[in-house]
Structure formats: structure tokens, C-alpha cells
Amino acid sequence: MTTRKSVFVLILTFVTQHLMSQNVFAYLDPGTGSYIFQVLIATIVAGLFAIKMFWQKIKGFFLNNFFKKKQG
Amino acid sequence: MIDEANRLKGSFRDPSGFVFFKDNTLFRSVSHLYRDNYDHLIQSGLYDKLVGDGLLISHREATIPVETEKNSYKIIQPEMVPFISYPYEWCFNQLKDAALTVIRIQKQALAYNMSLKDASAYNIQYFKGKPILIDTLSFEIYKENQPWIAYRQFCQHFLAPLAMIAYCDAILSQLMRIFIDGVPLNIASKLLPLTTWLHFGLLTHIHLHAKSQKRYQAKGTAIANSKINKKSLTALIHHLESAIDNIRWKPAGTEWADYYDDTNYTKDDMQHKKRVVGAYINEIKPANVWDLGANTGLFSRIASDLGIDTIAFDVDTAAVEKNYLQMRKNDEKKILPLCLDLTNPSPAIGWANEERFSLAERGPADMVIALALIHHLAVSNNLPLGHLADYFSRLCRFLIIEFVDKKDSQVQRLLLNREDIFLHYTRQDFENAFGSYFSILKSKDIGNTKRTLYLMKNLGEKYNVSGWSKRHG
């Protein structure tokens, strides 16, 4: 399984465990769930974005310092 | 004076202001409540940036009538959009481009320390060939750590219908007609195939989002402590953008998209038909044209290429899609393809059926073109010619209409497996029916076909006063 897929499955498990184990009652406030969910998901995607940026930096560092030197 | 009679009935949701008509001109009143937000929009440079990028409708500030000073901080006069269309009339890529426009606007807004406080698809209109935000009062000053208020609305108005078109069926765009505030996410989640759980964007913003809505719907949970920093909010907007971007739909195997390859015309007949339609349009020089049953817009472009605002309606979403993609590719500004089932045209919907207008309420058009259409309505849909003439007379001042005789092979095809109950579908009956509502100015047989092109003028009194075209164009 690729790293990307593993991260995806981990997130999926975390979020679904967190959200789906609750009982469902009648309609009251349709905005509340969206609002709270947004905070959760924004934090996750921001985290993923940070990891992606960090990974690219590391990749860039190795590519620039080793791969190019080897080529040269 | 701004009174209730002049106020647009659909303009009640947002206390920031409202839209009204005065002397046939559209104005927007900005309330004192919205003062700081309006000033920030203008003074921060966001307004200029968005107008410059073609993302927001431009406006000029008008003089405030003395009697309304108490209620209005400003009165603005926005540039007029010639035709208001609705999301359930858009093809897939029109809805997608509208969604991406909202995202672009929200990104810009955040850069100028503002945020969109709503993300209604009805606030986006097609203007000069591009989607544009028409609600100048949709912005609020960004409050540190505040989530995006319009997140749920964006998912319901854009993401859910796009996903349903792409992964279920194109006809499900019509759900927007039933649900005025967008497709409820629990319904979208229920109808979307299981494979969409593997699409990260749809998994999060539709399926899990719907679960979260369910979880909290019965609880009086306070949301004051729910905070997102700007970085996370920006990441969320980017994520929504990529979710939208990754939804793709390509029409296949539909009835009309290859229509022009499946006609019974010869090349010469087609050229003749084009010439006659062109001559009729040139003779009238209408202020605007609605082409009903336009298919991919071959004849609509005779009008739009002359600089006439033209709406190309068709029932087949694939044909509208093709037309839109061609329009977008060629950067055409005068043609707007839209989906419309003429046997069940867009009705008035919303509160008191007054929030969104029916097709007829958005007219009448200066000219309607109805080519190769009447036999489908009369034969396939059993509509009596009198009913057709009556409805067309409510839609337009001038009419170019093609009568297709029963001997025509396309009509024969419609009658192939059914009894011919259409004893009153003759050229004479057609002329009698339409003659009750229109005066027939011209008629021309097309080449060697069994078809005749008519140019007619509405007999209604209101269409026959001087300056009509100027006022309604």
C-alpha cells in the first residue's frame, strides 16, 4: 500500500469512528453539524497540506544535493 | 421611492440589503447594517480586483432618495445581466465553472481580509459568456478563526449536484428545482454509488459531512468554540477546489448531440434554411433571441454572431454541454446555452412561488426561433396546435417557426409505431392556429423538403406600441 493510500485509510478510519458511532435524532439545526465538521476536516486537510509541503521540501533537498551532484 | 411593490420578491433572505426596480432600472439598497462590510469591500481594493478579473458584477453608486435615507446606507446600480438563468437550467460544465468561480472569489476575498457569507448558485449568473457573482453584498469582513459560514451551502448548491450528475445521471441536476437551498447532503450521500466513498473529496464533503449533520441535528451544541485558523480555512478552500476539479462528466449516447448528422436535409437544403433564417433575423433585427430546441446552437449563432443576445435552449443536456464547451472555447459572449424541457418549462419556485421566475416571466423575448420543433411537441407530446400558438404568443414578439409536414420522414419516424391520431396536424390547421395569435409576415418552403419557414409577428396590443424593442431588449 502506498504512503498516500495508508494516510487516506487512517484518516477515513479516524473520521468515521468519530462521527458514525452516534445515535440519530430528529432534525434541529442543520448548520451545526456542517460547522463542526468543517473545523475537523479543515484541520486534517491543512495537516495533510503541511505534510505534503514538508515532503516536497525533503524530496527537493535530496534531489538538489545528491541527484544533481551525481549528474554533475 | 422604494416601496414593497418595486422590491424583487426573491430578495428577502439577507438583511444586508435588497434589490428593487425603479423606472425599469435595477438597484440594490445597501442597509446601514452592512456599512462596514461595504466600505471594506470598496476601500480594500477587493471590489476593483474582482471586477477587474470579471468575477463580480460592476456597479455605480446612485443618489439615495431623501425618503429612504433612514433605511439605506447606499443605493447602488449594478450592471444589468440580460437574462437570469438558474442552476437547474445549466449543463454540467456551467455548474462546475460557476462553482470554481465561487472558489476563486473566496480565495481573493480571504486575501483582502474578507469572506463570502453565502455561496448560493443563484448569486452566480452567466454574463458575456462567463460566470459572475451578481450579489455585491455577499462579502463580510473576515473574523479571525471563523470557519466558512457558507461551507454547507457551497456543498449543497455545487458539490452535491455535480457529483450526482457525474456519478448517477445528468437528469439529477433537476433536483435543484425541488430543493431551493441545494441538494440535501443526506440525499446525495444516499443516492451516490459506493465508489464515491473512494473519492476523497466526495467522501469528506458529502458522505462524512452528511453523517456529521445527522449526528448534530438533535443536539443544541454551541458552535462558538469551533475555530479554524486562516491557514486551515485556506486549505479547506483548496481542498474543495480540487474536489470540484476532479469531478468530470462526458455525455455519451444521447439522443440529440449528433442531431446534425441525422437530419433528412441535403447540404443545399440546410444552406437554404440558414439563408432564410438569417434573412428573417436581419429583417427584424431583434433586441434578443430565444432559440427553442436549439440543439448545439447552429442556428442560434446566426443571431449571436450578429451581436444579438441569444439564449440557446435545448432539452438534451448533452447538446447543451457541447454548445457550452464550444462557446467557452471560442470565447463567445452573445450566446448562452441552457437546458429546458419545453413540455415542462422552468416554473416559478420558492416562497409563494415568487423567488425564482418561470420561463415566461423572464420574457417575453423580442424573437423566438423554433426550428424542427413543432412536430415533436404536436406529435410526440400530443399538444394541439392552438395550445402551441397560445404559449408561443406569451413568449415573444416575433416568431420564426418551421412547420414540418406529416409527409416529412422525421414525422413519419415519430408515427412509425403509433396510431396517427393527428387529423388536425396540417399546414392549413397550423396557419389557422397561429393566425389567431400572430400575423404571418412571410413564409418560405425549404428547398426540396416538406418544411416551411414562417416569420410571424405577435398580434397582442402590448407588442405593437412604438419603442417596445428598446424597452425590452
Side-chain angles (χ1 to χ4, degrees):
Chain A
M1 198 183 271
T2 63
T3 319
R4 208 172 154 187
K5 270 189 182 163
S6 313
V7 171
F8 173 77
V9 169
L10 269 174
I11 290 163
L12 177 71
T13 314
F14 165 73
V15 176
T16 48
Q17 287 294 315
H18 180 75
L19 293 174
M20 293 175 196
S21 56
Q22 304 295 319
N23 289 327
V24 173
F25 298 98
Y27 171 86
L28 182 69
D29 181 3
T32 311
S34 296
Y35 210 80
I36 293 170
F37 178 74
Q38 180 188 166
V39 175
L40 179 72
I41 210 69
T43 310
I44 293 171
V45 292
L48 283 178
F49 187 69
I51 292 168
K52 192 178 158 191
M53 289 293 112
F54 184 64
W55 177 245
Q56 276 179 357
K57 267 188 189 168
I58 292 175
K59 217 163 87 178
F61 174 79
F62 280 103
L63 282 176
N64 286 332
N65 289 290
F66 297 103
F67 187 64
K68 276 188 182 168
K69 272 181 191 170
K70 265 187 190 174
Q71 270 189 334
Chain B
M1 179 173 172
I2 312 165
D3 57 37
E4 282 303 310
N6 297 326
R7 187 174 172 153
L8 233 71
K9 299 284 186 188
S11 184
F12 65 82
R13 289 177 191 272
D14 187 354
S16 305
F18 61 88
V19 178
F20 64 97
F21 270 100
K22 194 184 172 192
D23 304 326
N24 281 324
T25 308
L26 183 87
F27 294 96
R28 193 182 282 276
S29 165
V30 183
S31 83
H32 289 287
L33 277 175
Y34 192 71
R35 178 191 200 126
D36 292 347
N37 293 303
Y38 179 80
D39 288 345
H40 189 91
L41 171 72
I42 304 298
Q43 287 158 14
S44 66
L46 177 60
Y47 168 82
D48 287 334
K49 172 72 181 159
L50 291 174
V51 170
D53 289 349
L55 295 171
L56 174 67
I57 200 82
S58 68
H59 70 257
R60 66 170 194 87
E61 289 183 6
T63 320
I64 306 178
V66 181
E67 63 272 23
T68 60
E69 263 178 12
K70 238 206 285 182
N71 302 322
S72 303
Y73 170 53
K74 299 264 184 195
I75 301 284
I76 60 173
Q77 186 189 338
E79 206 175 342
M80 278 283 273
V81 175
F83 185 85
I84 296 295
S85 60
Y86 300 130
Y88 43 83
E89 294 168 337
W90 297 343
C91 64
F92 174 81
N93 270 298
Q94 280 174 311
L95 186 60
K96 184 170 171 173
D97 286 346
L100 293 171
T101 297
V102 172
I103 294 288
R104 281 181 69 194
I105 292 170
Q106 174 66 349
K107 280 184 181 172
Q108 284 296 349
L110 287 171
Y112 284 78
N113 220 33
M114 293 200 95
S115 180
L116 278 173
K117 63 183 164 69
D118 46 48
S120 167
Y122 296 94
N123 283 346
I124 300 290
Q125 287 299 323
Y126 274 85
F127 183 55
K128 296 177 185 171
K130 300 254 169 25
I132 190 169
L133 179 68
I134 58 160
D135 185 0
T136 314
L137 314 187
S138 279
F139 301 91
E140 62 180 1
I141 296 169
Y142 171 70
K143 294 182 199 83
E144 207 56 49
N145 294 326
Q146 186 184 284
W148 190 24
I149 302 283
Y151 172 65
R152 178 186 60 86
Q153 195 176 40
F154 181 83
C155 294
Q156 292 188 175
H157 280 233
F158 295 105
L159 194 62
L162 282 170
M164 297 187 77
I165 295 171
Y167 295 102
C168 297
D169 196 287
I171 200 68
L172 291 181
S173 65
Q174 295 307 301
L175 282 178
M176 290 294 282
R177 210 159 109 163
I178 303 170
F179 300 106
I180 194 143
D181 198 22
V183 179
L185 299 182
N186 61 323
I187 295 193
S189 179
K190 218 182 267 181
L191 294 177
L192 284 169
L194 281 175
T195 51
T196 56
W197 285 73
L198 299 172
H199 182 303
F200 191 38
L202 300 183
L203 168 71
T204 49
H205 301 297
I206 292 184
H207 295 299
L208 298 179
H209 188 174
K211 294 274 178 202
S212 178
Q213 285 181 335
K214 255 187 182 177
R215 182 192 185 222
Y216 287 99
Q217 67 188 355
K219 296 177 179 176
T221 312
I223 52 174
N225 292 327
S226 302
K227 289 175 180 169
I228 300 182
N229 62 35
K230 211 173 187 178
K231 237 182 196 171
S232 299
L233 181 59
T234 309
L236 178 83
I237 303 301
H238 278 97
H239 196 251
L240 280 169
E241 185 178 35
S242 86
I244 295 282
D245 217 24
N246 285 329
I247 305 174
R248 296 192 177 114
W249 178 73
K250 210 175 170 188
T254 55
E255 198 177 355
W256 297 112
D258 302 319
Y259 175 73
Y260 293 124
D261 305 324
D262 183 34
T263 61
N264 54 4
Y265 299 119
T266 63
K267 225 175 193 179
D268 286 346
D269 292 340
M270 186 60 108
Q271 285 308 319
H272 187 209
K273 185 171 167 177
K274 276 187 180 173
R275 276 199 308 276
V276 176
V277 172
Y280 286 173
I281 292 172
N282 267 310
E283 186 174 331
I284 303 302
K285 294 189 173 51
N288 55 47
V289 165
W290 291 1
D291 186 359
L292 305 178
N295 198 263
T296 54
L298 184 68
F299 291 93
S300 316
R301 282 181 173 76
I302 296 176
S304 64
D305 287 349
L306 290 166
I308 299 166
D309 281 315
T310 304
I311 316 290
F313 294 102
D314 204 89
V315 65
D316 181 11
T317 48
V320 177
E321 193 73 46
K322 268 193 175 180
N323 197 355
Y324 176 67
L325 294 177
Q326 185 184 345
M327 181 211 99
R328 196 174 70 176
K329 189 176 151 204
N330 298 332
D331 199 19
E332 292 172 87
K333 293 182 169 46
K334 288 291 181 179
I335 185 167
L336 175 61
L338 291 175
C339 302
L340 177 82
D341 178 359
L342 201 58
T343 63
N344 181 21
S346 303
I349 61 167
W351 177 250
N353 297 121
E354 290 178 331
E355 276 189 75
R356 313 289 168 225
F357 300 117
S358 71
L359 174 71
E361 283 169 332
R362 283 173 280 164
D366 205 10
M367 176 180 273
V368 157
I369 301 177
L371 306 176
L373 178 73
I374 194 144
H375 55 304
H376 292 287
L377 298 171
V379 176
S380 300
N381 204 51
N382 290 26
L383 269 161
L385 291 169
H387 286 47
L388 286 170
D390 174 31
Y391 188 56
F392 279 119
S393 77
R394 287 184 266 149
L395 292 184
C396 64
R397 187 162 76 123
F398 286 96
L399 173 66
I400 296 178
I401 188 163
E402 180 179 20
F403 180 73
V404 185
D405 194 89
K406 217 188 263 185
K407 292 189 198 92
D408 184 279
S409 62
Q410 297 286 15
V411 182
Q412 285 301 310
R413 199 196 271 191
L414 297 176
L415 288 169
L416 187 64
N417 292 316
R418 62 175 299 181
E419 195 181 332
D420 182 3
I421 54 166
F422 307 100
L423 301 177
H424 299 292
Y425 184 81
T426 66
R427 185 173 164 151
Q428 192 55 53
D429 289 318
F430 169 82
E431 287 184 6
N432 290 344
F434 278 78
S436 303
Y437 297 90
F438 293 91
S439 67
I440 296 172
L441 304 179
K442 284 187 173 167
S443 69
K444 191 101 189 153
D445 293 334
I446 308 169
N448 295 317
T449 68
K450 306 278 184 292
R451 296 169 175 228
T452 310
L453 271 176
Y454 290 86
L455 174 64
M456 304 185 184
K457 187 181 182 195
N458 202 315
L459 290 169
E461 268 176 39
K462 71 170 179 177
Y463 298 106
N464 289 289
V465 289
S466 62
W468 189 92
S469 192
K470 211 174 175 185
R471 280 200 303 278
H472 294 80

